[in-house]
């Protein structure tokens, strides 16, 4: 409603402005015309003098040509005595300002708009040519214009708000759709997506962004569900083993040696549980929303050297060549203990899947073009089948359990932990491998705390 | 050595009391913070095991109270939270050591004996035990009078074993000692280094100085 009032007010203001504008423009137009015609008349007087008859005809013609605007023409001699004037010349017109005035001048009294010129040379010197028009004609024209404009303005004041309302409704309909769809979404029901109209405008972009966001949340929840399921399974296994051993042991009396044996088994299962729980907590901690990206300057090269020192003995025992090329210094913003886990897990993994006589290569360098530290562990072990590559970082994923050496335990969390730590540091990890062709894991960590990808 | 256990969980408390008693340490058990604070003030225990999550008075309050009363009995804090901040707060409030649950009893015992030793004697420049001598400043190691070359990792593991001579050192303690935190990968790196150490110390298989304590860890005998 008040929309209409506003539009109406604006229309009236526009009309008033238009009237003043039109009046001004018409006046200007008239002035120009009067001036031109006055010059022409002045010339005619000079040329036709002293032929009174021809002059009168010329004057009458000029006056007649603009009769509908009430033009009148007047010729005065140097003593301001009328030589000739058209019939409609008003009697109450002001006398010329000055007898000696020769310039063209324009004056208006309240009823008339008058142009006058006093001739300056020749026989007609001192004669005054006057051409005028009553102001009411200008007003009449303006009023005519206004009368035709008023209905249009009135119609506009009604149509504009209505049209505006319809347009706004049309423009916000996708927004209302977005609101309706979003309202239907629940954490348990995230399969619905906002429709795209294919217009490629800002609203489509907004819908697209919201859809992306929903995809991420849905993906996160799906992974979370899977993770909890897997975690429950993995936690149950050692617990089941413990419970079963105890139940069986209590079935009948046994020798102290048997009991001792049972206790050793229990102790090992407990240790397995402890490691698993710690790893699950590590993952949960790294994933925690709001965990700040660690930024303490950390000597990455020293971490790699330390790990190499410790794992060298293992490689030697297993007859695996552990080669390395480590650039120094490489300092990254991060958390030393977490980065150590990345390095340890990757080297440990490579040694685990490399047969005797094989080779593991560890490289660390700075990629100045990308402004990041690149840590790479390459082995020529059994590799990972191409089709399983996308899943290697999935929690609890293990390529092939038959390759574990005796006494080695793995629960498929190591690489997930590595990935979560790398992402926490704003870095990225990639893997290249194929069955029988070894594997290369490459970690890129930003050298500055303000660059790199943010976690999704 | 008299030990005061302040722990509300009945099964953990019971196990600790039994463990300490059987290890030859008379033990008292307070089941909440207030009793714990009273017992700690009344009886002169040689060491206190303090759970941080207690009904009554929270563990940290008990600890602060003890230190304010001028009771400087060594305290080993037990916590279910492993977060670094918790450990730091514990140590800042006057704890001598901390242990994250779940833990091996042998580790708790070893740590209690270590903090008691630490508070009662000056830090040592050399560690020795039986045939072994380890100079912490020159980092020289001799075994049976013969000098032994060790890698930094081997030296560090041997130092840990000798600090806890006569006690069991778990694989977890060794991992923490090497890496600065409890990292334990699928491959048994610790075992590899212990075996190398044994060979370098030059004894035969049935006479190894570093003994395997099945299901628990490793140990070297204390100097008799």
């Amino acid at each position: 409603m008040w929309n209409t009032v506003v539009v109406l007010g604006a229309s009236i203001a526009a009309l008033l402005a238009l009237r003043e504008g039109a009046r001004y423009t018409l006046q200007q137009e008239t002035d120009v015309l009067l001036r031109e015609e006055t010059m022409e008349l002045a010339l005619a007087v000079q040329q036709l003098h002293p032929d009174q008859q021809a002059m009168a005809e010329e004057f009458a013609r000029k006056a007649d040509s603009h009769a509908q605007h009430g033009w009148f023409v007047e010729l005065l001699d140097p003593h301001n005595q009328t030589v000739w004037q058209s019939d409609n010349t008003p009697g109450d017109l002001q006398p010329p300002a000055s007898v000696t005035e020769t310039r063209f001048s324009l004056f208006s009294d309240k009823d008339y708009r008058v142009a006058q010129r006093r001739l300056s040379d020749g026989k007609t010197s001192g004669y005054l040519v006057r051409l005028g028009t009553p102001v009411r004609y200008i007003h009449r024209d303006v009023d005519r214009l206004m009368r035709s404009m008023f209905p249009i303005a009135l119609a506009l004041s009604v149509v504009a708000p209505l049209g505006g309302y319809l347009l706004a409704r049309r423009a916000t309909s996708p927004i209302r759709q977005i609101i309706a769809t979003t309202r239907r979404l629940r954490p348990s029901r995230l399969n619905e997506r906002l429709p795209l109209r294919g217009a490629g405008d800002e609203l489509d972009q907004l819908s697209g962004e919201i859809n992306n966001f929903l995809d991420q949340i849905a993906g996160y929840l799906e992974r979370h569900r899977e993770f909890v399921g897997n975690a429950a399974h993995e936690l149950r296994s050692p617990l089941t083993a413990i419970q079963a051993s105890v139940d069986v042991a209590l079935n009948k009396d046994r020798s102290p040696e048997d009991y001792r044996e049972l206790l050793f088994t229990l102790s090992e299962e407990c240790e397995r549980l402890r490691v698993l729980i710690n790893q699950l907590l590590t993952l949960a901690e790294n994933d925690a929303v709001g965990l700040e990206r660690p930024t303490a300057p950390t000597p990455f090269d020293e971490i790699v050297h330390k790990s190499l020192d410790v794992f060298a003995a293992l490689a030697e025992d297993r007859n695996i060549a552990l080669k390395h090329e480590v650039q120094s210094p490489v300092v990254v913003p991060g958390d030393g203990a977490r980065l150590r886990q990345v390095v340890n897990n990757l080297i440990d993994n490579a040694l685990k899947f490399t047969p005797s006589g094989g080779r593991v290569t560890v490289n660390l360098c700075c990629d100045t073009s990308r402004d990041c530290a690149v840590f790479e562990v390459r082995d020529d072990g059994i590799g990972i089948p191409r089709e399983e590559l996308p899943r290697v970082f999935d929690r609890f994923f293990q390529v092939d359990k038959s390759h574990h050496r005796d006494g080695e335990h793995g629960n498929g969390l190591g690489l997930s932990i590595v990935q979560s730590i790398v992402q926490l540091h704003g870095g990225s990890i990639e893997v290249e491998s194929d069955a029988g062709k070894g594997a290369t894991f490459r970690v890129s960590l930003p050298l500055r705390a303000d660059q790199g990808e943010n976690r999704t | 050595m008299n030990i005061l256990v302040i722990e509300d969980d009945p099964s953990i408390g019971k196990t600790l009391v039994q463990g300490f008693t059987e290890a030859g340490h008379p033990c008292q058990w307070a089941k909440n913070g207030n009793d714990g604070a009273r017992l700690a003030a009344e009886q002169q225990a040689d060491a206190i095991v303090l759970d941080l999550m207690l009904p009554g008075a929270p563990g940290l309050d008990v600890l602060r109270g003890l230190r304010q009363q001028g009771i400087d009995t060594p305290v080993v804090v037990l916590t279910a939270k492993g977060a670094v901040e918790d450990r730091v707060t514990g140590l800042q409030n006057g704890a001598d050591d901390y242990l994250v649950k779940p833990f091996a009893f042998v580790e708790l015992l070893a740590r209690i004996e270590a903090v008691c030793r630490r508070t009662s004697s000056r830090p040592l420049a050399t560690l020795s035990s039986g045939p072994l001598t380890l100079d912490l400043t020159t980092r020289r190691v001799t075994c049976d009078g013969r000098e032994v070359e060790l890698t930094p990792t081997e030296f560090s593991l041997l130092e840990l074993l000798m600090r806890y001579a006569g006690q069991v050192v778990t694989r977890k303690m060794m991992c923490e000692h090497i890496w600065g935190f409890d990292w334990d990968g699928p491959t048994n790196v610790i075992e590899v280094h212990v075996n190398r150490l044994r060979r370098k110390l030059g004894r035969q298989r049935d006479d190894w100085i570093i003994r395997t304590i099945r299901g628990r860890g490793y140990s070297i005998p204390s100097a008799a």
Side-chain angles (χ1 to χ4, degrees), chain B residues 13-64:
Chain B
K14 194 177 139 200
T15 312
L16 292 186
V17 170
Q18 188 188 357
F20 286 130
T21 312
E22 286 178 9
H25 304 300
C27 186
Q28 270 193 308
W29 177 15
K31 287 170 189 163
N32 61 55
N34 296 327
D35 288 358
R38 191 175 41 81
L39 282 176
E42 282 171 6
Q43 326 242 319
Q44 279 302 311
D46 297 304
I48 297 171
V49 177
L50 173 65
D51 183 21
L52 278 192
M53 306 263 270
L54 285 174
L60 278 180
D61 289 358
V62 174
L63 182 57
R64 266 194 296 268

Side-chain angles (χ1 to χ4, degrees), chain A residues 67-134:
Chain A
Q68 84 273 23
H69 286 122
W71 280 28
F72 54 89
V73 182
E74 198 175 21
L75 180 66
L76 304 176
D77 69 10
H79 309 289
N80 285 346
Q81 295 305 306
T82 305
V83 178
W84 187 91
Q85 63 178 188
S86 39
D87 302 337
N88 57 348
T89 305
D92 57 347
L93 203 61
Q94 277 182 1
S98 153
V99 185
T100 54
E101 176 71 66
T102 55
R103 280 191 302 107
F104 167 82
S105 73
L106 195 67
F107 73 88
S108 91
D109 72 14
K110 69 182 198 318
D111 294 325
Y112 306 100
R113 194 84 187 149
V114 181
Q116 59 185 9
R117 183 175 168 80
R118 200 176 283 280
L119 304 180
S120 56
D121 43 38
K123 295 168 297 223
T124 55
S125 179
Y127 276 70
L128 182 79
V129 177
R130 275 218 244 202
L131 186 59
T133 177

Side-chain angles (χ1 to χ4, degrees), chain B residues 1-27:
Chain B
M1 194 161 64
N2 284 299
I3 296 173
L4 171 61
V5 174
I6 309 176
E7 164 67 78
D8 63 306
D9 185 284
S11 49
I12 296 179
K14 194 177 139 200
T15 312
L16 292 186
V17 170
Q18 188 188 357
F20 286 130
T21 312
E22 286 178 9
H25 304 300
C27 186

